[in-house]
């Protein structure tokens, strides 16, 4: 039971011989995803995947929120390439989106089930990330939002590819995605995003660890095979859709609407967009 | 903001600079789909798609009902081809079904999100049409039915291809489809067909326009891309299934059970069908 | 209206000119699936498919339970091949799994809709079988479990391939599958596994027969085509996933974890598994 | 090394401990496919698949021709259903086509490689059947034709689904299919239908048996796995296309053009067809 | 047998009661594709599809060449949208590419087989167009080239989606595509692009009309069904690949390499491209 | 133009500012693939992909042969896992096969076209590797063999997934695969494996570099997009087939036939295999 290496954006510990609890750990930044976090997530799970005794991972957010999404300060500059040629910019953006998708898909690729507990704000990249897990719980007072529309773009790192297959009300899902509005724990349960609404963060973590212990008591061969089988069925659809989305957005996120949207958000002034 | 051209079966107006409200407008015929309506729907949306300021469409039914489905009087004669040769009849029917599917798919192809409000009866072609929209609301007292089984055929213009991907209870969906029974607003919400049940038609339209205004305040690039992305994922499955259904039904709707079913419906006498 | 041939594990009778009621009939063994039952199920439905007046089948379990799943005593020995060579063993197991899948898929292939009523225990092979039906009802006190994880394997005869497409909460589905825990009728309805929870076995059968009578009053051409259309859409995904699962499990169920799991179950001692 | 059971339309013998030589055996009828032959083909290969020592099958035609295709005398009456209702006729035809497809697909499903030698006429059902084999040789003077167009229908039992994936000139393939013209051994080799053109039937059989002996000397596990792997890749495309074709043709072969085409063929008078 | 309406870029006539011969008709511009030609092609075939006696179309180029490809003078300006925003430009280009693809796909959608005869230069859009036909013949001295690479872009209107499925040497196909080099009639036959190399344009047209007459003597129901069946199998792959290509190129053809490539072509000076 | 880092198994140099020539470099071991080579191949191309001036790679084998395939001495021990449990062994083998597939797929993933020149022996892993390139040339005296059947297994690292899509004679391809026999340069050209047969290694390298220079003179944006487009179309089929093959072979290569086959090869004694 080796200790997790030191990371800037993640922390974690073994809660039992087969269960590891990992946390998004930028509480002062509301666990916003900066380039470092995108980088450390696959690294941490590569470490975990090598722990032969590992059978289940529980993932939560340290502090008041699961995650406020993309760290606008840090992430944008890192993502936006410099080039005079639209085609070359598009190539770079395509490659960047693929890397971000790969980071967000980490939970899906993890050798063992990943149970995610969501509380506080769970926005943008946060919900994209949570959707690549196996099981999701949330607290009563969670505020979930597919927020990308509010910065002038379409989510391209998983949530739009996964949720339609995971939930049971396409009309509601589209309503949430087009408006960017927050949904509560109760609505998340009705939509099918989570399997349980817990009283608060503390009880949620306790309940998740209980489920984790139960799974950890089963044959690891059986559990490995179940995850492989379920993922195979769903990845057949999700993987090409992620690739397609990366192609589309490599051009679309070069839009000037992004600046207008962000400016509107910061200044609280109504955004004015050119016609299509 | 150009006015909608004159149509026999549709009416509409701008409710704000970016939101258009269109209505099925054959209230005296319970908004039944006749050949004219199938023809005018794509025409009207071709017009709307050219309105560069358009960002959202709200669609409802004028009068007491959203739609009573296919106009049996007018539609059948238009659809049924004359030929002594089954193969030639089948070719014609295949081509006709493709045209009807294309008309019903109009909302799916619309460049901007389409929000549909359902009230009163929403039957057969009505629910097929509504299912190609992005978001669906209904009133408490709505009566939805996949009615085709009652005229001796299988629905072939969208509902059977779309609902299994949009909702979360295949058993219930099949029950409704095999029996043709009506479901209420509450049941529609549980099944996942709609995202909200409104008190009545008036409040429903008000609520839909509010959602529409919210969406219209977002970047049109973002919203366009979201719709493209979500549609891409689902059309990969829906499009070939529609094509397949057109092939199957081009032969199957030549059945004599249709006459028997319709006669039974009109005379209230029990239908007697030959064995398979 | 020919009588059902004599079977060891199944019984049944006509409840009306077009509706047949068939029962799993090993009540003293909790309707556990033994090799005979796997064999007789396709035989019985081959007989039923030839009954030209048949329009609907209702399927329930005789006795206190729908089914306790695989008959561990009888089934294992029949399934496990003898060979010194892993590859040859794998070929045999692959072929056996295909045969069991074919038996479980019988309800899906049946020419007419199959309505299943679940009560008491519905475990392992039982829920795999029920999921290949068209419509599922259950009693309030039903106890459903995807139990395979508790014998050290991944379910490979349908449930993991079908339920993700039939229901609307992937997180809950995975929770149930990884833990093997029981769900009640109420939870089954919320997940979308069943379309109705009946008061008890008696009322459930009554309600199913009522639905069956309604379907039987419709055009058999229409109903046949609806089933063909809905199955076509879903089998495109399910059939290759079943094939894939058969390949994976042909090797994975050779695991020694199965013995350990079963021993643990019988002795109530905690299972100890080697690391992966 | 059990002897082949007695069949009306097939004969065969072991040419070595692991190689079986089977022959189409209606030489006086140019090995035309009658209902009996469709029925006996899967039976014979079910027998062969159970011969544990079997490693390769060589298949040729007894007499002057590989096969003249469908036995028009016998096959038509067996295939064409009687019913007043087009839909019911279509259901029956669909089910019949599926059975014929299953018979023609026998070589593809055979557990060991099947090597086919074609000589003389190889027409219609003959080339459909040969295309489901692993390896094809032909004689210099072979006359191959996808003849279905000459009886007013589209081939629906394999050749149009398989050849586009097996060969390398779509333009030539379509030319042959639309015109029904004969191709020689040399042209078949250029198109990619066969891998070798032999001098005559005798040398062809000798050469095929040599290849068969070579394959029989390899690990049967390796050979089994290769066939499974290659078939898996191709069947993913072929299987749904066969299903689609069965749906289409269940209606299309009810055409009166078939009578006109056959009459024209028999009387040598130009066929006159109604417009589409 | 109605006469072809007057077109700027196309001409044609009936060569027999069921065979129509249509020609690209801008001989002074080497039959280059200008916006008018893209527009008139689907119009002309819409007219032809309505001619109920039509059974085969033969398509050739008037003058010394089949086609020199895109008309750089006229086409570019029409295609390149004006906008300050990359995303909006991308949307417009995507929609334009879809329209061009739809025009090029006309031969594939034509109700009857289309036989294309290629002579002289057959470059860029010319070979894209020819590849959507059923059957291709060429003259000995034809010069075929997938020329797009020489103007700094990837072909996006069919050839790269169709040829890999139609021919039998991927290595050669890629060599031709990456280098833009010309291939002769003999090489085209070896690759599988054409089914016959004719002596010259005159004999080629004669030979094509002979094949056309043969096809026209067959049942139109049979021929229609064959084309539907073959197209269905191939369009399943081609259609999504065209859509994907449209997405990719909507951004990539905004590249400045296009100007550099065209300038280099016109000035015969070596092009200098920035690194990727 | 940075120099290639030092590798044990690979060497290379820039032949012009945009063209790099890399060589398999274990000439004393006939360029057999040992674990080091599998490891260094992706490393070397990761380096090359970062060279922004790179536009084409030419790949050949140093010494008398392109490659004799898997290094039986070194590779087997590295691949075969130790475990008492078949399932755990299968998991390890699955993961190993995926790593080898990833190494072999390197040429397919390379950002620029890869042109491979084959001479001498090109066997097993050698032809698997070459098939993931864009363009293949070979010498007259090349000896190509899909040799895996001779060591008792099915090739699982690319050749069986790629060649059926790249060539035009399935019958010939299967003959070669089932027998493991050698094909010459002339036969490789006819099958469609290569696009040219060169006189000898020296002229082949010269000719490949000429083609490479031509490609390098084109827009790198155009060439990048072409490779992306062609790969997208083919990887949709190849990627899932590789995954499937990895699953199948993770069990099948545990066969004892492998020992028997290798022993037979070394001792020249006829192998004796148990029945299936």
């Amino acid at each position: 039971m080796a200790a997790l290496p030191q990371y800037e954006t993640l922390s974690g510990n073994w809660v039992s011989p087969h269960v590891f609890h990992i946390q998004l750990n930028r509480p002062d930044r509301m666990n916003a995803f900066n380039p470092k976090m995108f980088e450390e997530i696959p690294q941490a799970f590569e470490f975990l995947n090598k722990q032969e005794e590992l059978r289940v991972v529980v993932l939560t957010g340290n502090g008041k929120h699961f995650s406020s999404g993309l760290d606008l300060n840090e992430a944008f500059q890192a993502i936006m390439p410099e080039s005079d040629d639209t085609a070359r910019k598009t190539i770079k953006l395509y490659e960047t989106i693929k890397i971000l998708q790969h980071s967000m898909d980490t939970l899906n690729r993890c050798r063992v089930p990943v149970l995610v507990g969501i509380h506080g704000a769970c926005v943008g990249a946060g919900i994209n990330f949570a959707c690549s897990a196996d099981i999701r719980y949330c607290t009563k007072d969670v505020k979930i939002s597919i927020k990308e529309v509010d910065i002038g773009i379409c989510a391209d790192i998983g949530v739009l590819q996964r949720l339609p297959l995971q939930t049971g009300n396409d009309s509601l899902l589209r309503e949430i995605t087009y408006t960017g509005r927050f949904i509560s724990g109760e609505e998340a349960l009705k939509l099918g995003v989570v399997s349980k609404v817990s009283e608060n963060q503390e009880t949620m973590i306790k309940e998740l660890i209980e489920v984790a212990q139960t799974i950890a008591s089963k044959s690891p061969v059986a559990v490995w095979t179940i995850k492989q089988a379920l993922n195979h069925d769903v990845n057949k659809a999700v993987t090409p859709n992620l690739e397609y989305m990366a192609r589309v957005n490599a051009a679309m996120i070069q839009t000037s609407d992004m600046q207008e949207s962000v400016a509107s958000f910061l200044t609280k002034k109504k955004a004015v967009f050119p016609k299509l």
Side-chain angles (χ1 to χ4, degrees), chain A:
Chain A
M1 289 173 47
L4 192 71
Q6 193 78 25
Y7 292 113
E8 268 181 43
T9 66
L10 302 166
S11 63
N13 59 287
W14 293 91
V15 294
S16 76
H18 301 306
V19 177
F20 194 90
H21 181 197
I22 192 166
Q23 289 202 294
L24 302 182
N25 191 26
R26 297 183 76 212
D28 51 326
R29 303 285 308 166
M30 296 174 70
N31 295 324
F33 284 77
N34 62 353
K36 197 73 190 172
M37 196 185 276
F38 279 115
E39 194 186 315
E40 288 184 344
I41 286 168
Q43 288 169 0
F45 276 83
E46 207 170 320
F47 164 81
L48 289 173
N49 279 327
K50 283 188 191 136
Q51 306 309 308
E52 295 181 321
E53 289 304 336
L54 183 73
R55 297 198 186 160
V56 188
V57 174
V58 173
L59 167 74
T60 58
N62 190 12
K64 293 199 176 158
H65 302 280
F66 181 72
S67 171
S68 61
L70 212 58
D71 187 318
L72 295 185
N73 293 349
E74 292 187 41
F76 270 172
Q77 282 156 327
I79 290 171
M80 279 301 154
E82 308 239 338
S83 172
D84 292 339
D85 184 36
T86 302
R88 283 168 174 82
K89 237 186 203 163
T90 302
I91 294 176
K92 289 274 186 300
L93 280 168
Y94 167 70
E95 290 171 348
T96 301
I97 295 170
K98 295 290 273 189
I99 289 168
L100 300 186
Q101 287 180 342
H102 191 258
S103 174
M104 290 296 90
D105 188 56
T106 296
L107 309 183
N108 175 56
R109 289 194 312 275
C110 180
R111 287 184 106 213
V112 302
V114 180
L115 283 48
V116 170
I118 305 169
H119 77 292
C122 177
V123 171
I127 184 66
N128 275 277
F129 188 45
C131 282
S132 82
D134 292 85
I135 296 173
R136 277 166 300 285
Y137 278 24
C138 71
T139 55
K140 269 165 104 169
D141 61 351
V142 78
K143 298 183 75 167
I144 298 173
S145 162
I146 304 172
K147 204 72 186 166
E148 280 82 349
V149 74
D150 278 330
I151 55 168
I153 64 170
C154 169
D156 59 13
I157 49 176
V159 69
L160 290 196
Q161 282 65 48
R162 296 188 184 284
L163 276 189
L165 298 168
Q166 292 173 343
T167 60
N169 190 322
D170 187 66
S171 175
L172 181 53
L173 183 60
R174 289 187 181 234
E175 187 178 325
I176 293 166
T177 310
Y178 286 134
T179 60
R181 80 163 163 85
F182 286 103
I183 59 167
S184 67
E186 211 49 54
E187 208 172 1
L189 182 62
K190 271 185 194 154
L191 177 56
V193 178
V194 300
S195 40
K196 190 170 189 178
V197 181
S198 303
E199 201 53 38
N200 55 45
Q201 191 187 5
E202 199 186 324
T203 55
M204 179 177 73
I205 292 176
K206 207 169 137 251
E207 287 161 356
L208 282 171
I209 288 175
E210 265 170 46
V211 176
Q213 302 288 25
T214 303
I215 299 175
S217 72
K218 313 290 178 183
S219 151
V221 164
V223 172
W224 183 87
T225 312
I226 293 170
K227 178 155 184 174
Q228 297 279 317
L230 288 171
N231 281 11
H232 174 258
D233 298 0
V234 81
N235 285 346
K236 281 200 309 182
V238 170
T239 307
N241 290 349
L242 283 169
E243 155 67 12
Y244 181 82
M245 191 71 240
R247 292 289 180 192
V248 171
N249 253 8
M252 300 310 283
I253 63 177
Q254 297 179 42
T255 184
S256 54
D257 284 17
M258 204 194 285
Q259 284 72 36
E260 177 69 14
S261 296
V262 172
S264 155
F265 177 76
L266 297 175
T267 62
K268 308 284 174 198
K269 286 210 297 198
K270 193 174 179 312
V272 181
F273 302 107
K275 62 191 184 184
L276 270 199

